[in-house]
Amino acid sequence: MLLIAVGVSVFAKSPNAVADHKTESVDLWFFQTNVRYQFRTEAIRLALSYTDNMTPTIRLRPWTESLTQQRAVSVIRSGRYPIFATLTEHRQFRLPELVRSNDNLIAGVMGFRVLLTQQGALDKLYQVSTLRHLRERLRFGFGQHWLDYSILQANGLELVGTPHYSNLFPMLEAGRFDAIPRGLNEFIAEERYWGERHPSLQSFDAYALYYPYPVYLYIHKDYEWILERINYGVFRAEQDGRMRRLFERHFADEIEWLNTRKPKLFVLRNDFVDPSLTIENVCWWVPEALLQQISPSKNCDNRVSADH
């Protein structure tokens, strides 16, 4: 999520939003500072670099004040401040006050869920071979305020919710549930960090979960000119290959894990997204063996990344 000061842009479509501002530079603040959001920040920085010759210059700055997602959405809706939120596409965000970026930021990678478990639960996990087994035999720990809690619940999975992310790992170690589904972009760093504190913690590679989970930038409609500048930069970076190279560098370990482990996949439905949406750029990370399950209509003949 990002906090921004207002400025003037050649893309301005909302004169009332920018007419009183004559600044030559803008500070663009981001307050999702946890390491798991790093790629989103780097992608935005790359996109903005394509508009350096435009006025105002936009500079990214870290925002240190804590702000929950619920509070951030409320501030965005008020229109008082130009605040970006990086959120999954969800029907609760289809609001008249908000506009959304053209492309999702992380190629749908968050919808690929690797199970973090502990040694005592391994035998139980290995006994699961069908989606029915997954529903009937396992319990999953999850943040009860996370948007995809409702996705897993709608698919019939048994969940143990907690309002505090850090509680998930001691609860897992204590056997309160069997596994925590974590995004492909999250689990390696979390296994390293929490594994030092809970030595029995480990990732599970026999199977994984997947559901469509695109992530977009949202902002109040009065500040659409800022969003248009980012849209322009993302388009340029995807056209010349720089965005893909950034993605592949950032998620190199995760892509290697997928290609070497080749887990079986349980595909879940996501009834909260617009069914017409497609996940762009899945060819950046999905192995050919899993492609038809994740994106049946996608053709990834060109699997070699853009020239450096």
Side-chain angles (χ1 to χ4, degrees), residues 1-7 23 25-34 37 40-42 44-45 48 57-67 72 75-76 80-86 217-219 225-226 230:
M1 298 182 182
L2 309 169
L3 185 63
I4 317 170
V6 184
T23 182
S25 65
V26 171
D27 283 337
L28 175 59
W29 304 92
F30 60 96
F31 50 85
Q32 283 179 314
T33 55
N34 187 281
Y37 301 111
R40 305 183 199 188
T41 305
E42 292 179 359
I44 295 163
R45 192 185 307 277
L48 289 173
T57 300
I58 298 179
R59 302 171 301 186
L60 284 178
R61 296 284 188 268
W63 185 263
T64 56
E65 181 182 354
S66 177
L67 193 63
V75 176
I76 294 171
R80 293 180 61 193
Y81 308 99
I83 302 178
F84 271 114
T86 56
L217 285 175
Y218 290 82
I219 195 170
W225 67 271
I226 301 173
I230 293 172

Side-chain angles (χ1 to χ4, degrees), residues 249-280:
R249 287 196 303 270
H250 191 86
F251 296 115
D253 291 342
E254 290 80 0
I255 294 171
E256 181 182 7
W257 185 93
L258 261 184
N259 281 286
T260 56
R261 307 302 177 89
K262 298 181 174 63
K264 176 181 176 178
L265 203 58
F266 292 113
V267 178
L268 308 179
R269 70 182 191 276
N270 182 352
D271 298 330
F272 301 92
V273 301
D274 183 339
S276 67
L277 282 178
T278 57
I279 306 294
E280 306 94 346

Side-chain angles (χ1 to χ4, degrees), residues 144-200:
Q144 63 190 42
H145 58 289
W146 295 343
L147 284 173
D148 39 349
Y149 187 97
S150 56
I151 298 173
L152 299 181
Q153 196 171 48
N155 279 274
L157 273 61
E158 184 177 352
L159 303 178
V160 178
T162 175
H164 303 294
Y165 161 79
S166 59
N167 287 348
L168 285 168
F169 303 94
M171 290 171 69
L172 175 64
E173 189 173 50
R176 294 281 303 279
F177 40 76
D178 305 303
I180 310 169
R182 300 303 291 143
L184 182 66
N185 59 311
E186 301 166 325
F187 86 96
I188 290 180
E190 291 180 339
E191 183 178 13
R192 291 169 181 163
Y193 179 83
W194 293 105
E196 293 180 357
R197 292 151 180 79
H198 305 283
S200 67

